[in-house]
Amino acid sequence: MTKPTIKDIAAQSGVSIATVSRVLANKSGSYSEKTAAKILKIAKELGYRKNSAAVDLVKKGADVIALIINATPTNFSTQIIDGIQQRASELGQGVIILYAGNRDHALQHQAIITALGRSVSGILLAAIEPDEEDLTLLKESQIPFCFVSLYLGTAAILAVSSDNRDLAYQATQYLIDQGHTRIGLVGIDEYHTGSQRRIGYQEAMTANHLAPATVLPGDYSYEAGVRLLQAVKDQGLTAVLAASDMVAAGILTAAQQHKIRVPADLSIMSIDGTIICQITTPALTSVTQDFYQIGRQSVNKVMGQPALDFVPVKIVERASVVPPAD
Amino acid sequence: MTKPTIKDIAAQSGVSIATVSRVLANKSGSYSEKTAAKILKIAKELGYRKNSAAVDLVKKGADVIALIINATPTNFSTQIIDGIQQRASELGQGVIILYAGNRDHALQHQAIITALGRSVSGILLAAIEPDEEDLTLLKESQIPFCFVSLYLGTAAILAVSSDNRDLAYQATQYLIDQGHTRIGLVGIDEYHTGSQRRIGYQEAMTANHLAPATVLPGDYSYEAGVRLLQAVKDQGLTAVLAASDMVAAGILTAAQQHKIRVPADLSIMSIDGTIICQITTPALTSVTQDFYQIGRQSVNKVMGQPALDFVPVKIVERASVVPPAD
DNA sequence: CTGAAAGCGCTAACAC
DNA sequence: GTGTTAGCGCTTTCAG
């Protein structure tokens, strides 16, 4: 048998499809208990399931938020997704996730187009660096969108993230307070998040009359961390602020292979604070971001509710930072 | 201005909506180059985007595969998703991901219902343990579904995974070959995957005349590993086969806190082989699963193409297993 | 090669 | 409370 429709239910229960629709849509007050019970019963028997394409078509828009996400943030994505899902559900919205590959521009663009085609009620872009084309597409679409864990530097575009400048400032200051002076910022990219962190780092260095600043660019990955250790050594740094837990883990592994003791010879401070920080030996001291909250706030924002722009971070002391040896 | 439709394009280009539809749907051969060019041009000017709800409705089904996933497999999900996305795209299918929370039965059920309502062309369930209700729903739906990284023990239900029995057998045998005799299987659950691994483990032990077998149940998490170390100690094991990289990491961390040296005092072999294995100190020797391939094959399977049921695993030697001290 | 017309399954006025 | 009816935006016969 083919997939049942409200028509089938109407036929079997002896009422019109309008009534069936009302009951199934829970338009309370506009139908009697009795008919409702009958209809629900038959619907269940038939294994009826609403065709959301039809609903979306007539309602002009789905009660769904699209979340576009890429491969990079694997570490923290779960928490962000949890926050988004939870808040969305409170607001009666479903969530579909579109995967944009690993910084793959074509896929990323494709994902945006898909979301637009489904006329979702909002689009969330997690850790996505948009290009001009993406932005144009989004803006023209008339549907609200919000960047998550990425701040484009302008209030004109909705976004929820940690305050990256402040985050880097705090972390750097922490390292300085421990007595370090030769501190590097390692593994950040050249885009928004990276530049913001770089600024915070540099401000902290300058404020403490420390120079020159050492920035080693990378792509937030474990491999970048491994690769960058050599430069860290060459620069004679005693402490590094790693762009992500993964970068920190990479630096750590590489350091161990080179017989550099962490933290005795090199202190590592990580940005993110995911479970990765607990897994390594030594455990990584970190500036921990509140990804769950970032997720929740981004839903608020994209749904037009009051929301934070920046979610506070906190420093969690573990075992990878100690004062320099001298 | 409101969202443009083919009607708008038709009006501006002076042709019928039928022709516009044909051009936009690429029904090659059924329109002239000239009209096509004109229509495409106008479509672009208007910023036209197809309404997929309308398409799905008339086509009775979307060219989309739904992937339902839960929080647990964070570690390996990226690879599975990559494989799925890639293969799906080759077959002209989009992918939407539905998040089922953390072994949350209500959410899981909800995700299945959502997928069915969208009349997707196939449903992939990654590391999802279905209950009876889920299975009934799926079977009645008439739409193909396939479990990913989970084998329900029957060929009647589509599934692609590693051969868990074999995987555990190989791993256990490897430990035995290193000279271990007091080996435990740690952190597995009581469901399908867990039981299959348990059987493989037990068969290997028995085949080598080793007994009794020690199985310490858990939920594949880091925390389970931490918690279970005590039991590992109490049982006087010299080697453990951890149910996942996370469990292995947990055991490792806890061991280090208890001054148990790994691998000198305790060898740890991990199941999965994600990047986690490289991050820890020592790096974790593992039975590595080919998640990317599992993803690809599952798409083949759910799309009715020839596909593997079981994807081969391989043992990757790192630094967490050595012969016992004695 | 193109147009007219009939829906896909559902919701939302508008009557009764 | 419930039925009738007109579409939502698109694809697809069937003519021409």
Side-chain angles (χ1 to χ4, degrees):
Chain A
M1 168 164 137
T2 149
K3 206 175 175 226
T5 73
I6 51 171
K7 236 175 187 162
D8 300 315
I9 298 180
Q12 290 214 22
S13 52
V15 298
S16 73
I17 60 165
T19 300
V20 175
S21 173
R22 286 181 190 114
V23 171
L24 262 25
N26 249 298
K27 301 277 184 211
S28 49
S30 57
Y31 53 79
S32 78
E33 283 305 322
K34 236 182 88 207
T35 40
K38 184 169 52 180
I39 288 171
L40 259 13
K41 180 165 162 291
I42 294 181
K44 168 159 283 180
E45 282 172 14
L46 261 39
Y48 171 80
R49 199 101 31 227
K50 234 184 227 186
N51 179 330
S52 21
V55 177
D56 293 352
L57 180 56
V58 54
K59 288 254 207 79
K60 293 166 164 294
D63 287 340
V64 167
I65 292 174
L67 169 62
I68 301 178
I69 205 163
N70 65 36
T72 315
T74 309
N75 344 304
F76 58 75
S77 57
T78 302
Q79 299 171 63
I80 288 192
I81 296 174
D82 269 330
I84 289 174
Q85 186 103 336
Q86 200 123 50
R87 183 63 186 137
S89 147
E90 290 169 16
L91 297 176
Q93 300 284 322
V95 177
I96 65 176
I97 303 172
L98 271 20
Y99 182 67
N102 199 149
R103 306 213 167 260
D104 177 328
H105 265 242
L107 262 184
Q108 187 167 309
H109 205 70
Q110 186 52 50
I112 294 174
I113 290 178
T114 302
L116 295 179
R118 306 229 147 256
S119 46
V120 294
S121 49
I123 299 180
L124 259 22
L125 302 103
I128 299 273
E129 276 284 350
D131 54 26
E132 270 315 314
E133 214 177 345
D134 292 340
L135 239 28
T136 309
L137 207 57
L138 253 8
K139 282 180 189 153
E140 281 177 350
S141 75
Q142 306 284 37
I143 102 149
F145 60 95
C146 173
F147 287 86
V148 186
S149 201
L150 184 90
Y151 175 56
L152 288 177
T154 160
I157 295 175
L158 300 185
V160 177
S161 69
S162 300
D163 182 336
N164 284 301
R165 195 202 57 71
D166 176 58
L167 174 161
Y169 193 104
Q170 279 191 43
T172 306
Q173 186 63 55
Y174 175 85
L175 256 12
I176 293 171
D177 289 346
Q178 297 292 311
H180 290 278
T181 56
R182 298 204 300 287
I183 303 169
L185 175 58
V186 182
I188 61 163
D189 62 17
E190 310 283 347
Y191 302 106
H192 295 92
T193 302
S195 341
Q196 291 154 201
R197 290 181 182 173
R198 177 191 306 240
I199 291 172
Y201 157 76
Q202 273 166 173
E203 284 182 4
M205 291 297 272
T206 305
N208 289 272
H209 310 295
L210 295 176
T214 306
V215 177
L216 305 175
D219 65 355
Y220 299 95
S221 70
Y222 176 81
E223 288 72 22
V226 171
R227 177 169 43 79
L228 259 17
L229 176 76
Q230 189 56 244
V232 169
K233 256 175 73 178
D234 295 349
Q235 302 278 334
L237 304 176
T238 63
V240 295
L241 175 55
S244 74
D245 290 343
M246 279 303 186
V247 170
I251 296 173
L252 177 58
T253 309
Q256 284 168 159
Q257 273 163 201
H258 289 244
K259 306 291 179 216
I260 297 174
R261 291 165 305 160
V262 175
D265 302 331
L266 178 68
S267 282
I268 302 178
M269 180 146 198
S270 179
I271 298 178
D272 277 352
T274 67
I275 196 164
I276 297 292
C277 293
Q278 300 173 49
I279 287 178
T280 59
T281 312
L284 297 163
T285 290
S286 67
V287 212
T288 297
Q289 302 195 62
D290 189 348
F291 293 113
Y292 177 81
Q293 200 53 233
I294 289 177
R296 286 189 67 95
Q297 296 297 328
S298 67
V299 171
N300 282 341
K301 186 151 273 189
V302 84
M303 289 286 96
Q305 309 243 340
L308 263 44
D309 290 298
F310 296 119
V311 174
V313 299
K314 67 163 184 281
I315 289 179
V316 177
E317 299 186 316
R318 294 197 186 84
S320 62
V321 176
V322 293
D326 271 36
Chain B
M1 156 149 155
T2 150
K3 207 174 174 229
T5 72
I6 49 172
K7 233 174 187 163
D8 301 316
I9 298 180
Q12 292 214 22
S13 52
V15 297
S16 74
I17 63 167
T19 299
V20 176
S21 172
R22 286 184 188 109
V23 172
L24 262 25
N26 250 298
K27 299 280 182 211
S28 49
S30 58
Y31 52 77
S32 76
E33 283 305 323
K34 235 181 91 208
T35 39
K38 184 169 54 179
I39 288 172
L40 259 12
K41 177 164 165 292
I42 296 181
K44 169 159 282 181
E45 282 171 13
L46 262 37
Y48 172 79
R49 199 101 32 226
K50 233 185 230 186
N51 179 331
S52 21
V55 177
D56 293 353
L57 180 56
V58 53
K59 288 254 205 81
K60 290 167 166 294
D63 288 341
V64 166
I65 292 174
L67 169 62
I68 302 178
I69 206 164
N70 63 38
T72 315
T74 309
N75 343 305
F76 57 77
S77 56
T78 301
Q79 300 173 61
I80 289 193
I81 295 175
D82 270 330
I84 290 175
Q85 186 103 336
Q86 200 123 51
R87 184 62 185 135
S89 147
E90 291 169 15
L91 297 176
Q93 299 283 322
V95 177
I96 65 175
I97 303 172
L98 270 18
Y99 181 67
N102 199 151
R103 307 213 168 261
D104 178 328
H105 265 241
L107 262 183
Q108 190 167 306
H109 203 70
Q110 185 50 51
I112 294 176
I113 290 179
T114 302
L116 295 179
R118 305 229 149 254
S119 45
V120 294
S121 50
I123 300 180
L124 258 23
L125 302 102
I128 299 273
E129 276 284 350
D131 53 27
E132 270 314 313
E133 214 178 343
D134 292 339
L135 239 29
T136 309
L137 208 55
L138 252 9
K139 282 180 190 156
E140 281 178 350
S141 76
Q142 307 283 33
I143 105 148
F145 60 95
C146 173
F147 287 86
V148 185
S149 201
L150 184 89
Y151 175 55
L152 288 177
T154 161
I157 294 175
L158 300 185
V160 177
S161 68
S162 301
D163 182 338
N164 284 301
R165 196 201 56 70
D166 176 58
L167 174 161
Y169 192 105
Q170 281 192 43
T172 307
Q173 186 63 54
Y174 175 85
L175 256 12
I176 294 171
D177 290 346
Q178 297 292 310
H180 290 279
T181 55
R182 297 204 301 288
I183 303 168
L185 175 59
V186 182
I188 61 163
D189 62 17
E190 310 284 347
Y191 302 108
H192 295 93
T193 302
S195 341
Q196 290 154 201
R197 291 181 183 173
R198 177 191 308 239
I199 291 172
Y201 157 74
Q202 274 168 171
E203 284 183 4
M205 291 296 271
T206 305
N208 289 273
H209 310 295
L210 296 174
T214 307
V215 176
L216 304 175
D219 64 356
Y220 299 96
S221 70
Y222 177 79
E223 288 71 21
V226 170
R227 179 168 43 76
L228 260 15
L229 176 76
Q230 191 54 244
V232 169
K233 255 175 74 179
D234 295 349
Q235 303 278 335
L237 305 176
T238 64
V240 295
L241 175 56
S244 74
D245 290 344
M246 279 303 186
V247 169
I251 297 174
L252 177 58
T253 308
Q256 283 167 159
Q257 271 162 201
H258 288 243
K259 306 289 180 217
I260 297 174
R261 292 165 305 161
V262 175
D265 302 331
L266 177 69
S267 283
I268 302 179
M269 176 144 200
S270 179
I271 297 178
D272 279 351
T274 67
I275 195 165
I276 298 292
C277 294
Q278 301 175 48
I279 287 178
T280 58
T281 313
L284 295 164
T285 290
S286 68
V287 212
T288 297
Q289 302 195 61
D290 189 349
F291 293 113
Y292 177 81
Q293 200 52 235
I294 289 178
R296 283 190 70 94
Q297 296 297 328
S298 66
V299 171
N300 282 339
K301 186 149 272 193
V302 83
M303 289 287 96
Q305 310 245 341
L308 264 43
D309 290 300
F310 296 118
V311 173
V313 299
K314 67 163 186 278
I315 289 178
V316 177
E317 299 185 316
R318 295 197 186 82
S320 63
V321 176
V322 293
D326 270 37

